[in-house]
Amino acid sequence: MSSNQATGKGKGEETVSGAEVIAQALKKQNVEYMFGIVGFPVTEIAVAAQAVGIKYIGMRNEQAASYAASAVGYLTGRPGVCLVVSGPGLIHALGGMANANMNCWPLIVIGGSSDSDQEMMGAFQEFPQVEACRLYSKLSVRPSSISAIPFVIEKAVRSSIYGRPGACYVDIPGDFVNFQVNASSIKYVECYMPPPITMADTSTVSVAASIIRRAKQPLLIIGKGAAYAHAEDNIKKLVEQCGLPFLPTPMGKGVVPDNHPNCVAAARSRALQHADVIILLGARLNWILHFGLPPRYRADVQIIQVDICAEELGNNVKPAAALLGDINAVTAQLLEYYNKRPWQYPPDAEWWKALREKMRSNEEASKELASQKSLPMNYYTVFYHVQEQLPRDCIIVSEGANTMDIGRTVLRSYLPRHRLDAGTFGTMGVGLGFAIAAAVVAKDRNPEKRVVCVEGDSAFGFSGMEAETICRHNLPILLIVVNNNGIYQGCDAETWKQITKLGEISQVGPPISLLPNSHYEQIMTAFGGKGYFVQTPGELQNALTASLAEKTGPSLINVMIQPQASRKKQDFHWLTRSNM
């Protein structure tokens, strides 16, 4: 059968390629950003996307591209697209798909695949891509024809957003990309309707509100689900109207500003361990919150759980009240209840006194560490100086072990959706992809906004070549590499020298150690950005001042710290069981 017969195409009729159909279908769904690495067979898709006004950001690794596209989904509520080639290209993107699904962020991955008439023949980079992606996505599908592409794209975008957000995969056979069809045969699907807003059962809302009223030691936990739901206004009203202490999860920071008097983040362990009623707003009782189980929690704690996903309700701990619905809408329902039956938790309660005392002692311990004058610097000294100069409205991206954990306690967030980190999946390597996504979105929506990406030296290594992407697009990103010469901890140069005398590094080198005093800042300068190597607080202050004065361009500050530096003593070990 000829191509004309297959498509009903006649002489003189306008035609359109499969790549153009894909681009136009994405545009119809209000997709704005595409990240990826082009090659056979998807290059024409990127070109077609640019032609319809979609911004294409070429990355250096598919994994970073999928991280970036998923971060766009979190920041805007509309999925970014990750475009990858067949076989290995798609496999590299699976990490980002899994991360998006675990974080509940919308993402579309479009993967080229081998030609449809070569299936099962050992085609170039042939791989069972649709089947493979089913483990990592909400929807994994290959359109049956070019005319089916608009329907499939709309369903993928809608599925990525509706209910619990997540990743969706669309497989495009290579022969579809350049194949021409009659333009009049393509029926584009109108943009999906906004996700339906669901509300909790009113009687359950009353039960939950009554439990909160009776609480002796209440605690509100704000998760990144609350940030994604844009619930900040109603949650702040609930905190202030009812006088509730609140604890943000790492990416829930900023929904209510960290400097709010009711924020008890500095007494996290004490608050979790002794609260008798906990209200979960878009947070899950997973490893980040220690599963809601003793000894981190009271055995008799009552959990009030608010979540958009019914399957999440009751995970690990049976809730005293389970509120299924949109977090913003359910919070409004709670506010309506308290507007009719005013109540406020006593500001002079013993619970508040205990929390504030613990906050004071923890903050003093952190300040003491930050004030130490010895060199090399420790984490707290570095973060103290960084916090002093950060713009209040900057977007903070953070990853690494101690770098992320300590940074979470010291670097404050004042606005929602202004902090991104390793997230629910604990994924290292997300930092530069997230930072690129945040900067691209900020460039369009708020050109004055800065993105500050704080990385451990090990975490930076996962995607350090994305520094070229940052410079190529001249993105307003400040990268801060907190360099302790290793994973968790490293060696100083003299110790490393002695180790190398003992034999092959592969046999005698500590597995957690990296090369001492690596000049990561030179990676940035190699591509035209600014780089700074700092070893003292004064040098750090000067580098921060100079970098933040650069309103548009990228820079990297490589901060050398004590290789054995660590967190202050913890009441409970939290993923710190290693004796290294």
mmCIF file of all heavy atoms in Angstrom, residues 45-60:
data_model
loop_
_atom_site.group_PDB
_atom_site.id
_atom_site.type_symbol
_atom_site.label_atom_id
_atom_site.label_comp_id
_atom_site.label_asym_id
_atom_site.label_seq_id
_atom_site.Cartn_x
_atom_site.Cartn_y
_atom_site.Cartn_z
ATOM 1 N N ILE A 45 11.241 16.473 16.186
ATOM 2 C CA ILE A 45 10.197 16.820 17.168
ATOM 3 C C ILE A 45 10.595 18.083 17.926
ATOM 4 O O ILE A 45 9.767 18.980 18.152
ATOM 5 C CB ILE A 45 9.952 15.648 18.140
ATOM 6 C CG1 ILE A 45 9.427 14.433 17.384
ATOM 7 C CG2 ILE A 45 8.964 16.062 19.240
ATOM 8 C CD1 ILE A 45 9.286 13.177 18.244
ATOM 9 N N ALA A 46 11.862 18.191 18.315
ATOM 10 C CA ALA A 46 12.331 19.391 19.009
ATOM 11 C C ALA A 46 12.214 20.615 18.110
ATOM 12 O O ALA A 46 11.793 21.688 18.547
ATOM 13 C CB ALA A 46 13.784 19.203 19.465
ATOM 14 N N VAL A 47 12.581 20.467 16.842
ATOM 15 C CA VAL A 47 12.479 21.582 15.893
ATOM 16 C C VAL A 47 11.029 22.014 15.726
ATOM 17 O O VAL A 47 10.714 23.212 15.728
ATOM 18 C CB VAL A 47 13.094 21.185 14.530
ATOM 19 C CG1 VAL A 47 12.851 22.280 13.491
ATOM 20 C CG2 VAL A 47 14.592 20.910 14.674
ATOM 21 N N ALA A 48 10.126 21.035 15.587
ATOM 22 C CA ALA A 48 8.705 21.355 15.429
ATOM 23 C C ALA A 48 8.143 22.014 16.681
ATOM 24 O O ALA A 48 7.293 22.923 16.593
ATOM 25 C CB ALA A 48 7.927 20.076 15.108
ATOM 26 N N ALA A 49 8.614 21.582 17.863
ATOM 27 C CA ALA A 49 8.152 22.188 19.115
ATOM 28 C C ALA A 49 8.552 23.658 19.180
ATOM 29 O O ALA A 49 7.748 24.522 19.562
ATOM 30 C CB ALA A 49 8.721 21.425 20.314
ATOM 31 N N GLN A 50 9.784 23.956 18.802
ATOM 32 C CA GLN A 50 10.216 25.357 18.778
ATOM 33 C C GLN A 50 9.378 26.175 17.807
ATOM 34 O O GLN A 50 9.047 27.329 18.082
ATOM 35 C CB GLN A 50 11.692 25.436 18.398
ATOM 36 C CG GLN A 50 12.643 24.933 19.471
ATOM 37 C CD GLN A 50 14.090 24.971 19.025
ATOM 38 O OE1 GLN A 50 14.415 24.649 17.880
ATOM 39 N NE2 GLN A 50 14.987 25.374 19.916
ATOM 40 N N ALA A 51 9.011 25.574 16.688
ATOM 41 C CA ALA A 51 8.252 26.298 15.657
ATOM 42 C C ALA A 51 6.871 26.723 16.142
ATOM 43 O O ALA A 51 6.334 27.736 15.680
ATOM 44 C CB ALA A 51 8.123 25.442 14.402
ATOM 45 N N VAL A 52 6.293 25.967 17.096
ATOM 46 C CA VAL A 52 4.963 26.336 17.601
ATOM 47 C C VAL A 52 5.052 27.140 18.901
ATOM 48 O O VAL A 52 4.019 27.443 19.512
ATOM 49 C CB VAL A 52 4.066 25.096 17.803
ATOM 50 C CG1 VAL A 52 3.850 24.377 16.486
ATOM 51 C CG2 VAL A 52 4.638 24.156 18.873
ATOM 52 N N GLY A 53 6.273 27.470 19.347
ATOM 53 C CA GLY A 53 6.425 28.325 20.519
ATOM 54 C C GLY A 53 6.748 27.618 21.810
ATOM 55 O O GLY A 53 6.777 28.241 22.881
ATOM 56 N N ILE A 54 7.003 26.312 21.759
ATOM 57 C CA ILE A 54 7.426 25.587 22.958
ATOM 58 C C ILE A 54 8.934 25.777 23.121
ATOM 59 O O ILE A 54 9.687 25.635 22.153
ATOM 60 C CB ILE A 54 7.085 24.090 22.844
ATOM 61 C CG1 ILE A 54 5.561 23.904 22.802
ATOM 62 C CG2 ILE A 54 7.686 23.296 24.008
ATOM 63 C CD1 ILE A 54 5.124 22.476 22.501
ATOM 64 N N LYS A 55 9.373 26.091 24.311
ATOM 65 C CA LYS A 55 10.799 26.301 24.548
ATOM 66 C C LYS A 55 11.500 24.963 24.716
ATOM 67 O O LYS A 55 11.097 24.134 25.539
ATOM 68 C CB LYS A 55 11.007 27.184 25.785
ATOM 69 C CG LYS A 55 10.481 28.595 25.572
ATOM 70 C CD LYS A 55 10.901 29.532 26.662
ATOM 71 C CE LYS A 55 10.478 30.968 26.320
ATOM 72 N NZ LYS A 55 10.892 31.933 27.332
ATOM 73 N N TYR A 56 12.555 24.766 23.935
ATOM 74 C CA TYR A 56 13.322 23.538 24.016
ATOM 75 C C TYR A 56 14.677 23.826 24.656
ATOM 76 O O TYR A 56 15.435 24.679 24.182
ATOM 77 C CB TYR A 56 13.544 22.918 22.630
ATOM 78 C CG TYR A 56 14.463 21.719 22.691
ATOM 79 C CD1 TYR A 56 13.987 20.493 23.156
ATOM 80 C CD2 TYR A 56 15.805 21.823 22.340
ATOM 81 C CE1 TYR A 56 14.833 19.399 23.261
ATOM 82 C CE2 TYR A 56 16.661 20.718 22.443
ATOM 83 C CZ TYR A 56 16.171 19.522 22.909
ATOM 84 O OH TYR A 56 17.006 18.447 23.030
ATOM 85 N N ILE A 57 14.966 23.126 25.749
ATOM 86 C CA ILE A 57 16.240 23.283 26.457
ATOM 87 C C ILE A 57 17.011 21.977 26.296
ATOM 88 O O ILE A 57 16.656 20.942 26.873
ATOM 89 C CB ILE A 57 16.027 23.611 27.953
ATOM 90 C CG1 ILE A 57 15.339 24.964 28.113
ATOM 91 C CG2 ILE A 57 17.368 23.640 28.685
ATOM 92 C CD1 ILE A 57 13.840 24.895 28.137
ATOM 93 N N GLY A 58 18.063 22.025 25.485
ATOM 94 C CA GLY A 58 18.881 20.843 25.273
ATOM 95 C C GLY A 58 19.804 20.605 26.457
ATOM 96 O O GLY A 58 20.542 21.492 26.861
ATOM 97 N N MET A 59 19.756 19.415 27.022
ATOM 98 C CA MET A 59 20.534 19.068 28.207
ATOM 99 C C MET A 59 21.718 18.186 27.815
ATOM 100 O O MET A 59 21.898 17.841 26.642
ATOM 101 C CB MET A 59 19.629 18.363 29.226
ATOM 102 C CG MET A 59 18.363 19.127 29.586
ATOM 103 S SD MET A 59 18.605 20.521 30.703
ATOM 104 C CE MET A 59 18.801 19.660 32.265
ATOM 105 N N ARG A 60 22.526 17.788 28.795
ATOM 106 C CA ARG A 60 23.692 16.966 28.550
ATOM 107 C C ARG A 60 23.492 15.506 28.971
ATOM 108 O O ARG A 60 24.323 14.653 28.667
ATOM 109 C CB ARG A 60 24.903 17.555 29.281
ATOM 110 C CG ARG A 60 25.240 18.977 28.854
ATOM 111 C CD ARG A 60 25.458 19.089 27.353
ATOM 112 N NE ARG A 60 26.574 18.274 26.917
ATOM 113 C CZ ARG A 60 27.833 18.720 26.791
ATOM 114 N NH1 ARG A 60 28.113 19.997 27.032
ATOM 115 N NH2 ARG A 60 28.791 17.915 26.401
#
